[in-house]
Each structure stands twice: as C-alpha cells, then as structure tokens.
Amino acid sequence: MPFVSFASLKEYMEQLLPKLGLPQADAAVMSQIYIDTTKRGMGHHDINMLPMRLKALRSGAINPNPHFQRLSGFGGMERWDGDNGPGEVINHFSMRRAIDLAAQHGMGLCAVRNSNHYLCGAPYVAQAAQQGCIGLIISKGVPTMGVPGAKGCVVGQSPIGFAFPTREDWPVMLDISLAYTSGLQLFQRAKQGVSVPPWWGVDENGEATTDPDKLLRGVRYPIGEHKGFGLAILCELLTGVLSGGLILDQDEDMEGMAARSTAHTAIAIKADALMDRETYLERSTDLIHRIQARADGVRLPGQSSWSKRQVLEAQGSVQLSQLLWDELNKYARDCGTVQLTDCAPQEKE
C-alpha cells in the first residue's frame, strides 16, 4: 500500500478544497484538522473519511462557503447558525469563540446549529488545551442508539471529548461516543469480517448479535446501559435543544436549516482563572502522576494517541489503502489539482 508524506497530503487538500468552493483560509483549517486526526494513528475518523466529505461538498449537500450568523448571546454564552457548512470548519470556529469568551468571562460556551459531521472531537479540545483552557466538545446526530429493554433507536450516539493542559508533553484528552462503537468502526469490522461483543447492541429483530453488519442495521446500545443513555440525553439537551437546532430525529426545514443537520457545543474553561497558571499546571500534572502511581501500566486518555503521533511524525508519512489512494487521486484529476505521490517512510535516526 502506498505512503504519502504529511506535507504532500496537506498540499493536496489545500489545493483541492478551494476547487470545491472553500475559501482558502477554511481550506487551510480543514486540511490541518485532517492531518492532526490522521497523526493520532487511530485508523478511523481521519483521512479515511475525506472522500465522504469531498462527495458532500461536490454534491452541494454541505455548503462550502458558509456565512456564520450569531443568533443570541449572554455573558460567556453564544448561539450561532453554521449555515450548513463543513463541520470541521464550524467546530474550529465555535471552539475559538468559546476560548475568546473564556478569556473575558473565565468560561465560554458556543452552541452551533445547522452543522455537519465534525470528524472527531480531538482537534477541537486540543485547540483549547493549546490555548491554556480546559476544553469540552459535544455533538449530536440522528438516533442510532437505543437502550436495553426498549425497542428501536431512541437517541444519537452523542460524541463527546475533553482535554486539559498539564506539564507533560501531551494533554490529557478523551474522545469517545456514548455508544460502544461508531458506525464507521462497525463498517470497518464488517468489511474485515471481525465480530463484535454481543452486548454492543441488537439486530433488526431485537436479538443480540456479534455480526457488525447486522448491528449496523439494528440498534446500538449506550455504554453503561442507563448511565450512558442518561448522558446521551444531557448531550442532546446541550446541543440540539440549546442551539435551537433540530432535536433528535426532527427533520424539517426550520428557518432555512438543512435537513438532518446536526448541532455542536464547545465549552472552554480558562485554566488559570481561579489560580495562577503555574499552580494550575502543578496541580493538573500532580493529578495524572497520582493516577499513574496507583496502578502499574495505567495509561491516561490521550497518552496512546500522543505516542502514535510521535512515531508518525518521525516517519513523516502515513500509509493509505489502495482504495483510498485511488479515490483521492480521482478527485485531484477531476479538479485539475496536484495528485498524491508515493513516498518511502523516513528512517529513524
């Protein structure tokens, strides 16, 4: 399978995305998000999702040049309309607004309706941590998750993430959904013929299944049963309800919003608002050291992806599947932009 350097991948996206209508500044933001998520080394919710986004941009399902509108605000809280723009661009903007509000008020919250899939929460909460904030981001989607004891899909998977800065090289960072797994991961397992645990959900007939393909057509269950279900309701309240966007499976043209659009909420807390920065960093670092001291081999959220990032950055490139390589280069040919070229990974010194 071919390798592509991160520099070439970024150039590819920064040339291609404007051809699909994105302003150059938004193309740069979106490109960097795909680079950062790919460097996490997770193998999903990264460059592998770019063809889906390119298809939506080219078809007009996503507005490539949105005009964000501030709908209301109070103190450190704001509500915006994302004009059906790319979720990556919208959430970079919303976290920036939350960080700016936190600088003024100690805490900032920015809820955005009329958005789209934002890839994953990691780049936005990392954005907050890099600016000296504790970052939290919440997303909603159409219902794909049920609850044991009830039939049918009731609520969305409610992806949620947080990050906070420490004196370590890496921020503590969690990026999860409240289902046992995402739809994309189920699709990958189905493609590879890998089974899933029977408690992850049920098939169309309400029977427990270990077949990821059947689970994709059935009902996924929340982590922790009623506990995860309760948290998912909170996430829906803080996103769809608070933003003024679509609620659960609501799918109607409401004030010009795109059908099946999603909503997101970014929250930033100024880490040194209640104490000086050095004291905060000392205490947050002490927290993770105390956790590590309590059990051998414990890894904090974000530690594994940081280690993978170091390897990939030293390598200078990432390996793509042949299918993804061909898809991306077809878009480049269609748009008359630079194609990806195979490169050998750099040797570690």
Side-chain angles (χ1 to χ4, degrees), residues 105-128:
H105 303 280
M107 295 179 65
L109 181 150
C110 183
V112 184
R113 70 180 193 182
N114 204 10
S115 181
N116 285 285
H117 196 289
Y118 71 169
L119 200 60
C120 67
Y124 317 109
V125 294
Q127 179 184 349

Side-chain angles (χ1 to χ4, degrees), residues 180-203 207-221:
Y180 281 104
T181 190
S182 69
L184 178 61
Q185 289 170 292
L186 283 177
F187 178 78
Q188 289 177 335
R189 282 174 175 259
K191 192 174 180 181
Q192 297 163 5
V194 179
S195 63
V196 300
W199 60 84
W200 279 14
V202 295
D203 62 18
E207 300 292 332
T209 181
T210 60
D211 185 333
D213 190 55
K214 290 182 179 180
L215 185 52
L216 276 169
R217 300 193 301 271
V219 179
R220 294 163 226 168
Y221 281 163

Side-chain angles (χ1 to χ4, degrees), residues 109-270:
L109 181 150
C110 183
V112 184
R113 70 180 193 182
N114 204 10
S115 181
N116 285 285
H117 196 289
Y118 71 169
L119 200 60
C120 67
Y124 317 109
V125 294
Q127 179 184 349
Q130 289 163 3
Q131 296 297 314
C133 287
I134 300 165
L136 173 68
I137 197 154
I138 308 166
S139 178
K140 75 168 298 298
V142 296
T144 56
M145 191 168 72
V147 62
K151 292 183 178 179
C153 296
V154 180
V155 71
Q157 295 182 174
S158 299
I160 185 170
F162 73 79
F164 62 85
T166 71
R167 282 209 178 103
E168 301 292 337
D169 293 334
W170 46 276
V172 173
M173 181 169 64
L174 183 72
D175 182 6
I176 61 170
S177 79
L178 294 180
Y180 281 104
T181 190
S182 69
L184 178 61
Q185 289 170 292
L186 283 177
F187 178 78
Q188 289 177 335
R189 282 174 175 259
K191 192 174 180 181
Q192 297 163 5
V194 179
S195 63
V196 300
W199 60 84
W200 279 14
V202 295
D203 62 18
E204 291 175 294
N205 299 315
E207 300 292 332
T209 181
T210 60
D211 185 333
D213 190 55
K214 290 182 179 180
L215 185 52
L216 276 169
R217 300 193 301 271
V219 179
R220 294 163 226 168
Y221 281 163
I223 58 175
E225 298 184 339
H226 68 283
K227 299 177 183 179
F229 178 59
L231 288 174
I233 293 173
L234 174 63
C235 290
E236 288 280 346
L237 175 70
L238 292 175
T239 54
V241 174
L242 194 63
S243 70
L246 303 182
I247 299 172
L248 292 177
D249 57 348
Q250 188 178 19
D251 189 3
E252 61 188 49
D253 185 10
M254 188 169 60
E255 298 182 34
M257 280 197 299
R260 297 176 67 83
S261 62
T262 189
H264 310 279
T265 294
I267 299 171
I269 302 171
K270 194 172 185 293

